[in-house]
Amino acid sequence: MHSYVEVITTPTADTAGTAMLFDVGQKRYLFGNMHEGLQRACIQRNARLAKTTDIFIAGKTEWKNVGGLFGVILTMADANASAVQSEKENMEKKIKKKQSDDVQRLSESKSTKKAKHDDERAKVFREAGLDPEKWLTGPGKATEAPPTVPTLTIHGSKNLTHTIATARRFIFRKGMPIRINEHVAAQQPTLPGDGRDPDWKDESIQVWKLPIEPAIRDQSPKSPRKRPFDEFAAGPLPHAHHGDFPRNVVRTRKGSEAREDEQRRLVASEMFNSQWRVDALTETPLVQVPTSTPMWIRSQNTNKLERYYRPGDGTLPQINVLIRRPWPGALIEQLPPTQPSQTAMSYIVRHYSQRGKFLPDKSKALKVHHLLYQALQQGATVKSQDGTTVTPDMVLEPSRTGGGFAYLDVPSIDHLQDLLDRPEWKMPRIMNGLQIMIWNLAPDVASTAALQSFLSHHKDVKHIMAAPDVSANPISFESSAALVLRLNQIDWGRYLVPIYSNSVSPEALTKRLIDAEFPNPQSLSRGFRFQLEPSAKVLSDDPDLFFDVGAVLKDMPAEVLELANSAKSESSSNVSSENLGLPSQDAEIICLGTGSSAPSKYRNVSATLLRVPGCGSYLFDCGEGTLGQLKRLYTPTQMTELFRDLKAIWVSHLHADHHLGTTSVIKAWNEVNYGLDAANEDEIFLDEQAIKALQVSKHCKRLFIFSEAQMIQWLKEYSSVEDFGYERLVAIKTDRARNDPNSSSMSWNNAKVGFRTDNDAMNEAMSQATGIENLVTCGVNHCHGAQAVSVTFRTGFKFSYSGDCRPSKEFVRIGQGSTVLVHEATFDDDMQKDAEAKKHSTISEAIGVAQAMGAKRLVLTHFSQRYQKIPQLRALAKINVNFDDVEVSSNGEEDVDMPNGLAEIGTATVSPTPRQRRSTASPSISSPESEELKIAVAFDFMRVRVRDIAYLDQLTPVLQRLFEIVEREDKKKAKDDPGEIARRKKDELKASRHKQSKEQIRETNVVKAREKVEVTRKRLNKSRSRSRNGVRDGNATSAVAPLKDAELMEEQSARIDYVDMAHELERAEGESNVQELGQSNGNTTSKVSLPLLEESQVSPADIRPR
C-alpha cells in the first residue's frame, strides 16, 4: 500500500484554514477546514476529489470552517456521477466480452480437462479447511459487482447536520447519498490503559476523534434572540403528497433533542438522494391547491399541457388540475433551532498494522500446497498436506506498525489545554506509528509555554504548523493573479495586483520560537507531501512555488504595451467630453467575482462592490470567497474603512454562486463595527416596530440586506449555529410583484417598509440609514425568486444590476435612464440555445438591454467559465431583443415549490438580431446607433470609476490582442512542458494499446468465425450423409418416410447456418483487411475463400433474406 498526505491550502487572505487530501490509493479523504475558496484551490492545484469517500471537518462548526463545504460537495457529486457512469459503461463492455467468450467455448475435450483441473484445485482448498468458492476464481465463476453509487460521509462537530440542512432550498443533487457523522459527547468513552477503539474505521484507516472544549467558558456565547418556535409553525404547510416529509416535521418544540436531530438528518439526506423529479406532475382537485401554486390542465382538443389560472370571481370549479409535486425541502418552513457549540474537532489517523513479508521457503518446509500461499498472506489459517495447522505468523515476517498522522485544530488559546490533556497521548495503541502532527492554530497559540512543553515531549514526531500570525500570505490562485498582473501592465490604475507576502515578518518569527533544545517546528506550506506507507518520508519539503512576478512580466508582449499606449493617447482627449453630465463620476465599481456557476482558476463567482462618495458602499451579490477577494484588494486599515462605510448588501437570488459569501462578509462587518466582544446595550430585536428600529438605526449602526424571503430565512436559520451579527441586520424581503414602476413592495418582520411608501418618516429613515434615494426590484426569468434591481442615489446616480436572467422588459422599465448597468453576459452569441435553456443572457442580449434601457455605461460580467480569460467579443450593431419575462401575477403567484437551480417548465424563446461583423483584426464593442453607450468587460480585481468606463471601452481591442498572444504562447510552452510531454506519451501509449486491443479483437473474431464455419460445414456434411443413407434404406419400406423428411429438414437448416457463418467470416475478415489496407486507398475489399463442401455447393436459394 502507498499512502500520502498532501496539503491543499494554508491560512491566507483568501483561504481561511488548512485543508489536506489523504490518498491511500483506491480511496481519498479530506481533512481540515472546509473554508470558502477550497473548491477553487482544488482546481488551481489540480487536486482531484474523485474517489473521496469521507470528509473530516476540523475545528468548530462555524462558517470559517464549513463555508466551502457546499461547493466541495457539489463538485464531488458531479465528479462521482461521471465516475459511476464511466464505471457502468466499462462494466457493460466487460459483461459483453465475457458473454462473447462464454458463447465460444473451448473444444469439448479441453473443457472437460479444465473442469477436472478446477475440481482438483477445489479439493486442495477443501482439505486445507477453506471454502473454494471464496478463494478460487476462474472463467464463469468470478462475478463483478455492478457499479454502486458512492456514499459521502461527512464527519464533524455539533451543529454540522443543522448547517447542511439550512441549504435545503438551494442545494439539490440526485444520486449521491450522504451520511453525516456528527459528534455526540456520549459516544466517546475515555478508557485507561493501552488505548480505546477507534471512533471510525474502514478497510484502510482508523480514526480517533479528539473533541476539545475551551478551558474557560464565556458566559454562554451570545446567541441571537429567537422568536417562539410556535410562530414558525403557524398556518398550513404547502400541499403534501404521500411519501413526502410528514406534515408535522417541525411544527412544535415538543419532543427530544434526538428527534430534532433525526428531522435535520432526514432533510439533509433528501438534499442529495431524493427521488423527486422536476417534470413530474400530479393530478389534484383544484380546491386543494394553494393559491400561489402554478397549475396546468390538458387541452381536450390537442391533449397538450396548458397553463391554468384561477377564475377572477373567486369561484372554484370542481375540476382536477396538474401541479408539480413539491420539492421536499419546500415543505420544511423552519428547522428546529439549535445553540452555538464551542466543541472543536481534531483527529488522529492510523493505518492498520502491516503484515510482514511472506516466506515461501518456510511454507514449503511446512508442506503447504502452493495454491494456499495467497490465502496465508491474506491472514487465513490452513492445513498442510500432512494435516498440520499452519497460521500466517508461521510463514510471515513480524508485522509492522501502521503509519499515521494527527490533524490538530486549536481555534483559541482557551481550547489548547484541553487538547494537550487528552488521554490519547499516553495510549501506545494510538501513538505507536504516529509519524507527523499537523497543527492548525489560532493567533497567539504557537508561542504559548504549554504548547512548547508538549512539543518537547514528542520530539520523535514531525511537527508542521500553520497559523495566521506565523505563516506567510502567498498568492493562493496564481492563474488569476498572473492574468491581473498582465492587465495591470496595460492599465495599472484599474487592474489591481492582489496584495500578498511570500515571507514571514520578524515579529511572527519571534512568536514561533520555542525551547532551544527542540528545533523550531516547520511552517506548513501548500504542496507539502508526506508519505506514510510503505515507509515514512517527506515527498515534497520545499514550499510550494510562490507567485513569480518576474516571469509574468518577462512574458508581457511588447506589441500589446504599444497598443495600450496608443489607446491611452487617443482616448485622453475624448473621455472628458463623453462624461459631461454623468452624475457621480467618481463612483467606483470594483469587480470581485466575474465568473458564473462555479469558481475557476481565472474568475471567482459573482460579487460586485459599488462605492458612491457621499452615500456609502454596497455589495451586489456575494458569492463564495468575496471576503478573500476584498482582503487581496485592501490593506487591513482600508478594510476597516470599507466595512464602516458598507451600508447594504443585495442578493439577487438563492444560488450558491451568488450568496455563499454573505455570512463571512456580515461577520467581518460586525467585528469591525462592534468588535469581537461588543456590548449589547442598544440591541434592536426583531419583534419591535420597523419604524422605531429604523429611527434608532441612525444612532446604532445597522447593515441592510435586501433579498428574497428564502435568503433572509437562510440567514436566520444559520444564525442559531453561530453569532455572526444577524441581530444587527435589517433584513428586508423584496417582492417580485409590482404595480408601480417607481417603487417596490418590501417588508421587515411582516411590517411594510420602503423608500416610496405613504409614510414620509419611513421613507426618510430608510434613505438616511442606507444613503439610497430609491430601490426598485422586479422579477426576472431565471429561477424561483430571482430579481433584478435598480438603485437611485441622492446625487442622481442610477445603478442597475441584473443578477442572472434572460432579457427582461420589466427590468428595462425600472432601469430607464441608468447611469451604469451591470448585466450578466454568461454566453457568447454562438450559444444562444444554451442561454435560453439555462435562462441566462448572451453578450448581444446584454447590450440590447442596455440600449433599450438608455443606459450610459455598461459593464459585462458573469461570464461562463468556458471563457477562462476573456469572452469572444465582436463589433455589434443596434441590438433588437425579444424580452423573456417571467410571469408574476399581482398576488405573487409563481413557482414556489421549486429548488433553486432547476429550470422551470416551458422556457420562452428569444431570437436576437444576428450580429454584424467588422472586417478588422482588433474589433471593439461599439454601437453605431447609440454612440453614447460605452462598454467595459469585467475582470476580477478590476476597479473602475464611472468616468473611466469610456476609456476601458477603447481598451477592448488591446485586451483581445493580449489574450490571443498569451494563449498562443501558452500552447507553445505546453508542448515543451515535462508534464505535458509525459501526458502526451501516456496518451500515445494508451492509444497504441487501444489500437492493438482492437486488432486483437478483430483477429479473434476471424478465428472464431472460421471455427464456426468449420463446425457448420461438418454438421452439413454429416446431415447430408444421414439423409442419403436414409433415402437408400427407405426404398424398401415407406415406414422411414417421416425420418427422411426430418433428415432433409436438418440438412436444409445446416445449409442455412453454414451460409450465415460464411457471411460472418466474410465480414470479420473484411473488417480486418480494411483496417490494415483500407486506410491507404479507402477501397480495399476482402474476398473470402469458403471451405469446400463434400459433393455439392450450397444453393443461393438456401440463403435466408438478411
Side-chain angles (χ1 to χ4, degrees):
M1 171 187 288
H2 284 77
S3 67
Y4 64 89
V5 171
E6 179 178 3
V7 176
I8 302 174
T9 64
T10 57
T12 65
D14 40 17
T15 55
T18 301
M20 60 189 195
L21 196 64
F22 182 33
D23 193 320
V24 298
Q26 297 301 317
K27 297 175 68 174
R28 297 187 180 102
Y29 312 85
L30 264 178
F31 280 86
N33 309 130
M34 303 299 114
H35 51 76
E36 291 185 47
L38 178 58
Q39 177 188 12
R40 192 181 184 195
C42 290
I43 297 171
Q44 178 67 60
R45 294 202 51 77
N46 197 27
R48 300 182 179 180
L49 298 179
K51 299 183 181 180
T52 301
T53 59
D54 294 83
I55 297 177
F56 295 85
I57 302 177
K60 300 188 295 182
T61 299
E62 57 183 352
W63 199 256
K64 174 177 173 288
N65 297 326
V66 300
L69 178 63
F70 298 114
V72 169
I73 292 176
L74 293 176
T75 299
M76 292 175 59
D78 296 338
N80 287 335
S82 300
V84 169
Q85 182 63 28
S86 176
E87 186 179 354
K88 183 179 178 180
E89 292 174 357
N90 291 336
M91 183 64 64
E92 290 175 351
K93 291 180 181 178
K94 290 181 180 179
I95 292 174
K96 288 181 180 179
K97 184 177 184 302
K98 185 177 181 302
Q99 290 174 345
S100 176
D101 292 342
D102 289 343
V103 170
Q104 302 302 321
R105 295 285 184 181
L106 297 172
S107 64
E108 185 177 350
S109 59
K110 291 183 178 180
S111 179
T112 304
K113 184 178 180 180
K114 186 178 184 307
K116 183 178 178 181
H117 177 68
D118 289 345
D119 290 340
E120 292 175 352
R121 290 164 54 116
K123 183 179 178 182
V124 172
F125 281 88
R126 281 193 293 270
E127 290 176 350
L130 300 178
D131 182 9
E133 292 294 330
K134 178 180 179 181
W135 296 98
L136 268 181
T137 59
K141 290 187 178 182
T143 58
E144 297 193 46
T148 57
V149 177
T151 298
L152 176 66
T153 304
I154 306 173
H155 311 258
S157 185
K158 181 176 172 55
N159 290 332
L160 175 60
T161 309
H162 183 97
T163 300
I164 294 175
T166 62
R168 66 192 180 279
R169 297 188 184 276
F170 58 89
I171 298 291
F172 178 82
R173 281 293 187 276
K174 300 176 68 173
M176 194 195 77
I178 67 167
R179 287 196 296 263
I180 302 175
N181 190 356
E182 184 174 308
H183 169 70
V184 178
Q187 290 178 342
Q188 267 200 336
T190 54
L191 302 176
D194 185 60
R196 61 180 179 87
D197 292 335
D199 298 291
W200 182 87
K201 62 182 179 181
D202 64 3
E203 68 277 6
S204 301
I205 63 172
Q206 311 166 82
V207 178
W208 286 266
K209 299 178 181 179
L210 307 179
I212 58 175
E213 303 284 347
I216 303 175
R217 295 179 181 272
D218 298 328
Q219 296 295 328
S220 68
K222 179 77 175 64
S223 81
R225 177 189 179 276
K226 302 175 188 63
R227 298 157 72 185
F229 188 73
D230 290 340
E231 292 179 30
F232 299 117
L237 288 172
H239 184 68
H241 297 268
H242 178 69
D244 287 326
F245 284 111
R247 291 174 63 84
N248 60 348
V249 165
V250 283
R251 296 181 66 86
T252 174
R253 279 293 289 169
K254 297 179 181 179
S256 65
E257 183 177 348
R259 173 172 172 76
E260 293 179 349
D261 289 340
E262 179 64 14
Q263 293 168 0
R264 298 185 184 98
R265 188 192 65 78
L266 287 173
V267 172
S269 65
E270 279 290 316
M271 292 165 57
F272 298 95
N273 198 33
S274 174
Q275 300 303 312
W276 180 84
R277 290 176 52 192
V278 64
D279 57 350
L281 296 177
T282 304
E283 188 172 358
T284 308
L286 176 60
V287 294
Q288 297 181 12
V289 179
T291 305
S292 60
T293 303
M295 299 171 289
W296 289 265
I297 59 173
R298 197 169 292 280
S299 172
Q300 295 180 354
N301 298 327
T302 63
N303 202 34
K304 293 183 178 180
L305 290 178
E306 296 178 352
R307 188 69 181 269
Y308 178 80
Y309 297 93
R310 295 171 183 271
D313 57 4
T315 60
L316 297 180
Q318 298 298 316
I319 63 172
N320 291 342
V321 295
L322 296 173
I323 65 171
R324 287 198 187 101
R325 183 182 181 218
W327 154 238
L331 299 178
I332 309 303
E333 294 181 349
Q334 177 76 17
L335 293 175
T338 183
Q339 292 291 330
S341 171
Q342 296 300 308
T343 303
M345 296 299 300
S346 294
Y347 302 96
I348 296 177
V349 184
R350 283 273 313 280
H351 279 296
Y352 293 97
S353 295
Q354 304 297 306
R355 295 190 184 95
K357 182 180 178 181
F358 178 67
L359 304 173
D361 292 339
K362 282 192 175 183
S363 301
K364 189 174 182 180
L366 293 171
K367 299 182 178 180
V368 177
H369 197 286
H370 68 277
L371 293 176
L372 304 175
Y373 286 1
Q374 182 180 4
L376 278 170
Q377 293 180 63
Q378 296 182 12
T381 299
V382 303
K383 290 185 179 180
S384 65
Q385 295 177 356
D386 59 5
T388 304
T389 299
V390 179
T391 59
D393 60 289
M394 298 169 64
V395 295
L396 297 174
E397 291 182 350
S399 60
R400 176 175 54 81
T401 302
F405 69 90
Y407 184 103
L408 308 175
D409 192 287
V410 185
S412 70
I413 291 181
D414 293 339
H415 285 82
L416 177 62
Q417 196 59 47
D418 194 24
L419 176 65
L420 303 183
D421 292 342
R422 294 286 307 187
E424 287 81 2
W425 307 126
K426 299 179 181 179
M427 297 179 179
R429 176 186 176 186
I430 298 176
M431 293 299 294
N432 288 345
L434 195 66
Q435 300 157 336
I436 183 172
M437 293 186 185
I438 298 175
W439 297 81
N440 188 62
L441 305 175
D444 301 323
V445 174
S447 58
T448 58
L451 180 59
Q452 295 175 15
S453 175
F454 180 87
L455 297 178
S456 64
H457 283 86
H458 294 85
K459 297 180 180 180
D460 55 333
V461 179
K462 187 174 184 65
H463 297 272
I464 313 290
M465 285 189 175
D469 58 338
V470 299
S471 301
N473 182 30
I475 289 291
S476 301
F477 309 115
E478 295 89 345
S479 299
S480 174
L483 173 64
V484 175
L485 184 56
R486 289 190 174 101
L487 296 175
N488 178 265
Q489 298 303 297
I490 296 175
D491 189 336
W492 62 268
R494 297 171 184 87
Y495 302 104
L496 306 181
V497 178
I499 297 172
Y500 70 98
S501 173
N502 291 337
S503 60
V504 182
S505 65
E507 296 80 4
L509 290 173
T510 303
K511 288 184 179 181
R512 200 167 55 186
L513 291 176
I514 59 173
D515 194 320
E517 296 181 1
F518 183 75
N520 287 345
Q522 181 178 337
S523 179
L524 190 65
S525 61
R526 288 178 309 142
F528 175 81
R529 299 177 73 185
F530 187 87
Q531 178 179 283
L532 299 176
E533 294 292 346
S535 61
K537 64 179 180 180
V538 176
L539 299 177
S540 175
D541 198 14
D542 296 330
D544 193 24
L545 293 176
F546 291 128
F547 178 53
D548 191 347
V549 176
V552 177
L553 296 179
K554 182 180 178 181
D555 292 339
M556 190 66 187
E559 174 190 348
V560 173
L561 295 177
E562 293 176 2
L563 288 174
N565 293 331
S566 176
K568 291 177 185 178
S569 60
E570 291 177 3
S571 62
S572 58
S573 59
N574 300 328
V575 169
S576 298
S577 60
E578 291 173 344
N579 288 327
L580 292 177
L582 286 182
S584 297
Q585 295 186 22
D586 287 333
E588 276 190 322
I589 300 166
I590 300 96
C591 299
L592 304 172
T594 57
S596 69
S597 181
S600 73
K601 293 191 296 184
Y602 297 98
R603 295 181 184 271
N604 198 38
V605 289
S606 296
T608 302
L609 176 65
L610 174 66
R611 308 195 72 176
V612 184
C615 297
S617 298
Y618 310 86
L619 261 175
F620 291 84
D621 279 332
C622 196
E624 178 183 336
T626 297
L627 181 61
Q629 298 286 89
L630 287 171
K631 289 181 177 180
R632 291 295 187 186
L633 278 178
Y634 297 103
T635 65
T637 301
Q638 293 171 334
M639 285 287 288
T640 299
E641 296 174 355
L642 170 64
F643 281 119
R644 286 177 178 166
D645 191 50
L646 185 63
K647 299 291 182 65
I649 299 175
W650 161 261
V651 178
S652 61
H653 61 288
L654 203 65
H655 274 177
D657 60 322
H658 286 257
H659 79 279
L660 281 183
T662 312
T663 303
S664 54
V665 170
I666 294 172
K667 186 172 183 179
W669 173 90
N670 187 53
E671 291 174 354
V672 167
N673 289 282
Y674 288 90
L676 296 175
D677 301 310
N680 297 309
E681 290 118 6
D682 293 324
E683 288 298 341
I684 301 174
F685 295 110
L686 300 182
D687 55 359
E688 296 187 32
Q689 294 295 322
I691 181 65
K692 179 180 177 182
L694 285 169
Q695 288 175 337
V696 176
S697 70
K698 288 186 285 188
H699 307 286
C700 302
K701 200 174 187 65
R702 292 293 178 265
L703 179 63
F704 283 71
I705 304 290
F706 295 93
S707 189
E708 59 152 322
Q710 292 185 0
M711 174 65 189
I712 307 303
Q713 183 72 14
W714 175 68
L715 290 173
K716 178 183 290 187
E717 286 187 349
Y718 180 74
S719 67
S720 64
V721 174
E722 175 187 4
D723 179 15
F724 62 90
Y726 180 78
E727 287 186 357
R728 299 184 177 92
L729 298 179
V730 179
I732 296 180
K733 301 175 185 177
T734 56
D735 194 347
R736 301 176 70 178
R738 293 183 312 100
N739 295 319
D740 183 354
N742 297 317
S743 66
S744 291
S745 175
M746 305 178 192
S747 63
W748 181 27
N749 307 320
N750 300 319
K752 182 179 179 181
V753 296
F755 296 90
R756 298 288 176 88
T757 67
D758 297 334
N759 188 331
D760 293 337
M762 166 68 68
N763 300 339
E764 180 62 22
M766 288 284 287
S767 183
Q768 287 288 341
T770 62
I772 295 173
E773 180 72 19
N774 193 18
L775 185 149
V776 187
T777 67
C778 71
V780 291
N781 188 9
H782 178 64
C783 70
H784 167 67
Q787 300 180 47
V789 66
S790 185
V791 184
T792 304
F793 297 90
R794 293 187 171 187
T795 61
F797 176 67
K798 189 171 184 178
F799 181 86
S800 295
Y801 181 82
S802 70
D804 289 3
C805 65
R806 295 288 299 136
S808 169
K809 180 165 52 179
E810 192 63 22
F811 183 39
V812 170
R813 285 183 60 197
I814 68 173
Q816 272 298 316
S818 293
T819 312
V820 175
L821 167 64
V822 176
H823 202 288
E824 70 122 290
T826 307
F827 293 102
D828 180 61
D829 295 351
D830 295 337
M831 303 190 71
Q832 177 68 43
K833 295 299 182 183
D834 293 78
E836 294 171 8
K838 298 181 181 180
K839 300 188 177 181
H840 286 290
S841 298
T842 66
I843 295 174
S844 290
E845 288 174 335
I847 296 173
V849 170
Q851 293 172 341
M853 188 180 286
K856 307 299 186 298
R857 301 291 182 264
L858 170 64
V859 177
L860 297 174
T861 187
H862 197 271
F863 300 108
S864 170
Q865 300 294 9
R866 60 173 47 84
Y867 313 123
Q868 291 289 301
K869 297 174 182 176
I870 190 170
Q872 300 176 20
L873 305 175
R874 301 177 178 89
L876 294 163
K878 178 72 175 180
I879 307 299
N880 297 320
V881 179
N882 292 331
F883 294 101
D884 189 8
D885 283 274
V886 65
E887 293 184 13
V888 183
S889 64
S890 59
N891 64 356
E893 179 179 313
E894 59 167 325
D895 205 346
V896 297
D897 55 10
M898 292 280 291
N900 281 296
L902 296 180
E904 299 177 3
I905 293 177
T907 303
T909 302
V910 177
S911 301
T913 301
R915 297 174 299 167
Q916 301 176 1
R917 299 172 182 256
R918 291 180 183 174
S919 57
T920 172
S922 301
S924 65
I925 298 181
S926 63
S927 176
E929 302 292 333
S930 178
E931 294 294 344
E932 190 177 2
L933 177 63
K934 302 301 177 183
I935 304 172
V937 179
F939 293 89
D940 287 13
F941 301 117
M942 184 182 85
R943 185 174 69 183
V944 58
R945 290 184 173 89
V946 172
R947 66 166 179 260
D948 295 332
I949 295 177
Y951 166 67
L952 291 184
D953 180 87
Q954 299 183 27
L955 275 186
T956 302
V958 181
L959 301 181
Q960 289 179 307
R961 183 58 181 157
L962 166 65
F963 292 116
E964 287 175 5
I965 296 174
V966 169
E967 288 179 4
R968 186 171 63 245
E969 293 179 351
D970 287 346
K971 290 179 181 179
K972 188 184 300 183
K973 290 180 180 179
K975 291 182 180 180
D976 301 328
D977 180 66
E980 182 64 25
I981 294 174
R983 280 191 293 271
R984 285 203 305 270
K985 288 183 177 180
K986 184 177 179 180
D987 292 340
E988 291 172 358
L989 180 61
K990 185 177 179 180
S992 175
R993 288 176 177 174
H994 180 66
K995 181 179 179 181
Q996 293 175 3
S997 176
K998 291 182 69 176
E999 291 174 352
Q1000 291 173 358
I1001 291 173
R1002 282 192 294 272
E1003 293 173 0
T1004 302
N1005 290 339
V1006 171
V1007 172
K1008 290 178 180 179
R1010 288 187 179 277
E1011 290 176 354
K1012 289 180 181 180
V1013 169
E1014 181 64 21
V1015 169
T1016 56
R1017 186 182 70 83
K1018 291 180 178 179
R1019 176 184 162 215
L1020 177 59
N1021 288 332
K1022 188 175 181 180
S1023 64
R1024 281 178 172 166
S1025 177
R1026 284 200 306 268
S1027 63
R1028 289 169 184 172
N1029 291 334
V1031 170
R1032 286 191 292 269
D1033 295 340
N1035 291 331
T1037 173
S1038 63
V1040 295
L1043 177 61
K1044 181 188 71 172
D1045 293 340
E1047 290 172 345
L1048 291 175
M1049 291 177 64
E1050 168 64 20
E1051 180 181 349
Q1052 181 78 358
S1053 175
R1055 287 180 180 180
I1056 294 173
D1057 288 346
Y1058 173 76
V1059 173
D1060 285 346
M1061 294 303 102
H1063 284 166
E1064 183 176 333
L1065 174 59
E1066 184 176 5
R1067 286 194 301 271
E1069 291 189 338
E1071 290 176 0
S1072 179
N1073 292 336
V1074 167
Q1075 177 66 24
E1076 295 174 0
L1077 305 175
Q1079 294 178 356
S1080 61
N1081 55 28
N1083 298 316
T1084 302
T1085 59
S1086 174
K1087 298 295 183 181
V1088 181
S1089 179
L1090 300 182
L1092 295 177
L1093 297 176
E1094 297 179 354
E1095 299 189 13
S1096 67
Q1097 298 295 329
V1098 179
S1099 169
D1102 296 331
I1103 301 176
R1104 284 180 289 190
R1106 306 192 63 82

